[in-house]
Amino acid sequence: MPFIELSNVDLIYGTASQDAASQTLAVSSATLAIEHGEFLAIVGPSGCGKSTLLKLISGLVQPSRGTVTVDGKKVVQPLKTVGMAFQNATLLPWRNIRDNVMLPLEIVEPYRSRQKIDRDKHRQAADVLLEKVGLAGFGDRMPWQLSGGMQQRAQLCRALIHEPSILLLDEPFAALDTFTREELWAVLQDLWSFRKCTVILVTHELREAVYLAQTVHVMSARPGRILKSSVIDIPRPRTLESTFEPGFVDLVHDLRHHIGLGKQQ
Amino acid sequence: MPFIELSNVDLIYGTASQDAASQTLAVSSATLAIEHGEFLAIVGPSGCGKSTLLKLISGLVQPSRGTVTVDGKKVVQPLKTVGMAFQNATLLPWRNIRDNVMLPLEIVEPYRSRQKIDRDKHRQAADVLLEKVGLAGFGDRMPWQLSGGMQQRAQLCRALIHEPSILLLDEPFAALDTFTREELWAVLQDLWSFRKCTVILVTHELREAVYLAQTVHVMSARPGRILKSSVIDIPRPRTLESTFEPGFVDLVHDLRHHIGLGKQQ
Amino acid sequence: MRKLQERLAPWVLTLALIAAWWLLIYLFDIKSFILPTPWETLQAIYKFRYPLFLHGMSTLATTLIGFVAAVVFGLALGILVGSSRLAYSGVYPLLIGFNSVPKAALVPVFVIWFGAGTIPAVCTAFMLSFFPVVANVATAFATIEPELFEVMRSLGATRWDITRKIGIPRSLPFFFASLKIAVTLAFVGSVIAEIVAGNNGIGNVMLVASSNFNVPLVFAALVVVGVLGVGMYAIFDFFERRMTAWSIRGGDALVQTIGG
Amino acid sequence: MRKLQERLAPWVLTLALIAAWWLLIYLFDIKSFILPTPWETLQAIYKFRYPLFLHGMSTLATTLIGFVAAVVFGLALGILVGSSRLAYSGVYPLLIGFNSVPKAALVPVFVIWFGAGTIPAVCTAFMLSFFPVVANVATAFATIEPELFEVMRSLGATRWDITRKIGIPRSLPFFFASLKIAVTLAFVGSVIAEIVAGNNGIGNVMLVASSNFNVPLVFAALVVVGVLGVGMYAIFDFFERRMTAWSIRGGDALVQTIGG
Amino acid sequence: QTKVRFTLDWIPGATHGAFLIALQKGYYKAEGLDVTMDRGKGSAEVVRQLAAGVYDMGFPDINTVMDFDSRNPDAAFPVVMIGYEEAPAAIVTLKSSGITEPKQLNGKKLGSAPNDSTFKLFPIFARKTGIDAASVEFQTIDPALREVLLVQKKVDAIPGQIFNALLELKAKGVPASDVRYFMYKDYGLLLYANSVAASSRFLKEHPDSVRGFLRATLKGLKDMARDPELAVDAAVAFEPLLNPDIERERLKVALECCILTETVRKKGFGDIDRERLETNITEIAEAYNLPRRPKLEEIFDAAYLPDEKERLIETVLPAQRFKKSE
Ligand SMILES: Nc1ncnc2c1ncn2[C@@H]1O[C@H](COP(=O)(O)OP(=O)(O)OP(=O)(O)O)[C@@H](O)[C@H]1O
Ligand SMILES: Nc1ncnc2c1ncn2[C@@H]1O[C@H](COP(=O)(O)OP(=O)(O)OP(=O)(O)O)[C@@H](O)[C@H]1O
Ligand SMILES: Cc1ncc(C[n+]2csc(CCO)c2C)c(N)n1
Ligand SMILES: [Mg+2]
Ligand SMILES: [Mg+2]
């Protein structure tokens, strides 16, 4: 039995009491099985329901039809074991960057109970992560003092710090330049192979999807369905050089083609 | 004399009264000359000062040293003739999408004075633009009912609707999938060649920069300086096919190389 | 289902409160010259329905005039105080000082200037109620996200444009909150002024009633003011639901979490 | 430069106000039994500095107890009302009804329950001042951006976590605004209660002074309450500047636009 | 030591000299009483507080007690000693108004708080003087403001306690010679006024304490009668915010008009004339539209009064009856 399973999930935004016109069918009969420790990428046209899918898996949103199960249990409330990076960097404006990154440690066990004792250790962990994403020295800044890309990186740290077993990343690198982005690919790949957590990555960069993921799922235009799932069998560890190899480029082109098909529908 | 000119512009964030440690030199001796009707792209590593540069040109931020002149006049307050798409979609949460798009028409002359009379015309203009970016039918939705990419497209419409003579676009396509993005490239190129406005585009997608711009400026890591300016002499109208031609790919690689250099400093 | 629950909630709660009131009297054997029973109060409302109605209308009119003036003035001053640090640091302490003073003490001064009657009551209602509007509008304006300003400034908007298109809409939820505070204070103000120097109004009824040891009528008068207040609230609520729906799209987000 | 201006502003404005007060008396030849001059008031403050100090402290203590209780209660009720639609629609109308009623009318009831002394005044201060806190905290909680909730919910945070780490910090600017409103009302409440039924405090001073035709002393007492209010404001301001700086990073954004 | 919670009728002043002197000189202590003395919140409130047991004893207007007792027979309590043998009630006008006799108040405007006891008695006064009460216009106004309105000529006359009204007017720059007033008592309305009362529970549980209290108060009264300045000093000592000059003047008027009256000097302090009180009860019951006419025994209980000998006052005051103003 798969670790995460979506069976025939529909999601309709807008309450039942509203008129049908203002309701939106965002995700339609999505079916997906994700193994423990899998690295998954989801691609699809803008507005097709990718972010919604992540929210369904994390339990932030309850399906209108069908069920989501994680680890054999039906998801009826937000999971406690996910790390989530949202599409818009939602840093808390009243905390500095370091305190923002440390937020999960104040909520999630076992860190929470050891908060007082491990205060310094936690600070160090945050600073180490910040350095990894190129934000060394920005821990004391407030969120609005950071550029868009820097905020996004800080948010990534927040999603990672409590070492969640499921990592849900919604276009985590969208605001980054190519170099920073590729550096973070490596960081993420290392992390995943080391920790063996389950990662679901939403992205628009097909190279990113192919570089990082074991499976890439293509979603159709709204209402989003899974159109196609490609298994990426490029050996690991993948390097930037791999991305220029013909096999890689072919895979990217193939995905591109399918997204194009999905969009036209 | 160039239309827009930055000479030796520094920008320091943080007020003079603050201690030096919390001040940030975001842009350092930036010098740039932009001709009327030019299409310019700016690329550079995350946090290097690209957004700040756009704010300097629009007059939203005043340089700490050096001067910005537009059309021969020193910029000391926000210009009235720009259309700006911010990095984060800043739609007004209390207005629906159409009203958000129509906001500039309520502020900028000559539309402002004709607001009452031209109400229907303005609504139509907004709907036409929304349709162009693939948001037909979403005019009555509220911003939070749109996906990230959809919000960004709506913001683009808001930057365009009053036909500004200067268009400042801060990663306007970052949240879009490849297909939507490429469609919008074409839309933007058409618009520019038709209206001959001056466009400054900040982007991380080098293909996007090369595809659209006449000149691409590469900025160094913070404090941002202009490292290199490449003139792109690919003939127009450029098509998606052009992006696969060797000349195009070489230009992209060259830019990549320079960003890499800038980042390492 | 939910909707119905929400509709019923205030009535249920009111009934519960009345029951508690009754129980209190029953348990502690409270004399009616201290606290009348709900039933006695209701009888007084019925018996004196005609004067209560007339005086209630008079109080309502007085209150509304003072309240509207307070809202207009409060909005203007709030925008000023919220938009300029200098105005904030200059005006705020004075406002606090002024508002800490019981306005009842100033009613006589107004009576001496304007004579007894409606004007002092209107002034009192005004003085008591403008400050919450100032405080909330000022805070709302001072905390507007700079990003929203930038959108407007990049279009070359005037100060007034920004106030109208960003400041006011963004402040609306807290403006409405301040209206609710202000209207209760306006009622208190006009009733107090009527007690000190009025020939009309609920305050006058209370005074006459208490001078006759007619405690049920005093409470009947209090109930009438309370009902007038709730009536005003219903009006605000109507507009608030329409004008600030965008701000409460979160709805029961906190409750949803655990399912309260 | 700016800083100095900001520091001076309240003093300059106070002086201007005093000048206006004087001018008013001079121009309209107002008798001192109606409105004393600032100088007479100052003399009264000096002459009665000792009783004014003692009674001022008594009023301050009463006010503070009532105020602190109001803040704690208001915060709790505000969180409840702001977090649940059902509580909102059930409790709000009742709160409005209750607050429209002049609390002065209830003071005698408290005296009869709790005896003469401080408790009725504390109750009055409490009753008068808790509602602004409820209204603002409720509105702040009801308008929290769902995105912030989602951050917490995705971590499996409890309702209390969310309240503590999102709700309260985000409400702080409006919580402080409500504190300012509430503290002025707490002062008004305790002084009124002291006038109606107190043996101590500034309200008592005012009553004795007016029965002795000592109008300057009445105004001296008013000035003392005003100064106490401003003192409380200074304390809030200190904390507000530290705790809500994040929310006013926009600073003078609106003024910058045109350069006010 | 028995605890006695005592409430005055209003703000402490020299007119409360008897109580304050007794308190400060330890007369109460000598009777085994531990007295706490609070300012009053008006007669109506004093009555309610006595009925509710917030205070054990107090100094309300006997007419207010009648009112309350009639409406609340279950909570009724009696007066045990008369304080003001004559009510200070008067209608006050300015001479410039040209009103020389009560009848001329017809069609004029009267300013008063509706709960003012003098005002509430106005209908009886009107009947006795031939005023057509229905033709008199009323302006509701706080007691603190009525003199101001009179000076401003916004009202033509005000009801009030004579010693307060004269002083209020003087403070507003109107000398006594410009004031004309009609004392109720000069028109056959011979009311008693503020008096010592005790809650029914206290009477039942501590009858001897009540007696002791009255004895000690009488001692204080005698001191005051001998030397009114003692009362002024006691008042200022009790409430430092008072102005001794004003207190002195107020006391002088009060002693003459209302406290050390002819009757008191002849028959002693604190008791009633049965016939006179019966008449009062009838008049009040009618004027106040009371639900029932209380019996005299409900209103006044002489059982706690000291002997008549003890109640006789020696006074240095000129035996001059407080005269009608001309
Ligand atoms: N809160 C909401 N209420 C109503 N409709 C919504 C809401 N959120 C999203 N939608 C709608 O659901 C659809 C899917 O949204 P979603 O955010 O999942 O898209 P997405 O695939 O993440 O798009 P993008 O790539 O642009 O971020 C969109 O059409 C959007 O309009
Ligand atoms: N309001 C501010 N206060 C202080 N520092 C700021 C502020 N805004 C930006 N900065 C700093 O200025 C630098 C440049 O920021 P800017 O937003 O211009 O970068 P950018 O090139 O747009 O980056 P990105 O590609 O990530 O959006 C960053 O280091 C940032 O920390
Ligand atoms: C605030 C306030 N002011 C005046 C009175 C009226 N009042 C009641 S008793 C009394 C004096 C003689 O007993 C007066 C003037 C009041 N009740 N409350
Ligand atoms: Mg999305
Ligand atoms: Mg940027």
Side-chain angles (χ1 to χ4, degrees), chain D residues 215-228:
Chain D
V215 185
L217 180 53
V218 174
F219 277 78
L222 293 181
V223 170
V224 170
V225 192
V227 169
L228 288 177

Side-chain angles (χ1 to χ4, degrees), chain C residues 114-136:
Chain C
F114 302 116
T118 318
I119 299 179
V122 169
C123 291
T124 315
F126 168 81
M127 286 195 307
L128 225 65
S129 59
F130 79 88
F131 182 55
V133 181
V134 176
N136 270 16

Side-chain angles (χ1 to χ4, degrees), chain C residues 33-34 108 111-116 196-199 204 207-208 211-213 215, chain E residues 48 51-52 64 67-68 71-72 75 114-115 120 139-142 145 148 152 154:
Chain C
F33 64 86
I34 297 173
V111 173
I112 288 162
W113 280 340
F114 302 116
V196 174
N199 285 330
N204 204 51
L207 201 58
V208 174
S211 77
N212 290 317
F213 291 102
V215 186
Chain E
R48 269 168 29 117
T64 312
D67 188 347
F68 182 86
R71 293 176 203 266
N72 301 280
N115 58 352
K120 283 172 73 180
Q139 168 64 56
T140 305
I141 191 70
D142 189 72
L145 278 174
V148 180
Q152 287 185 329
K154 293 208 170 109

Side-chain angles (χ1 to χ4, degrees), chain A residues 147-149, chain B residues 47 49-52 87 170-171 202 204:
Chain A
S147 77
Chain B
K50 302 179 294 296
S51 302
T52 305
Q87 188 167 9
D170 198 350
E171 307 186 28
V202 168
H204 288 310

Side-chain angles (χ1 to χ4, degrees), chain A residues 138 141-142 144-151 153 175-177, chain B residues 11-14 22-27 44-55 87 170-171 202 204 219 222 224, chain D residues 249:
Chain A
F138 283 90
R141 296 290 174 95
M142 298 303 281
W144 51 273
Q145 295 179 309
L146 265 55
S147 77
M150 292 159 87
Q151 288 180 22
R153 284 179 273 159
L176 301 179
D177 63 292
Chain B
L11 188 95
I12 302 171
Y13 279 112
S22 69
Q23 289 192 2
T24 310
L25 178 61
V27 170
S46 171
C48 73
K50 302 179 294 296
S51 302
T52 305
L53 202 69
L54 289 194
K55 286 185 188 173
Q87 188 167 9
D170 198 350
E171 307 186 28
V202 168
H204 288 310
M219 283 179 79
R222 187 168 57 86
Chain D
R249 64 201 157 95

Side-chain angles (χ1 to χ4, degrees), chain E residues 151-169:
Chain E
V151 173
Q152 287 185 329
K153 300 206 190 309
K154 293 208 170 109
V155 297
D156 302 301
I158 54 171
Q161 299 183 315
I162 190 61
F163 42 75
N164 288 326
L166 285 178
L167 283 169
E168 285 272 7
L169 286 168

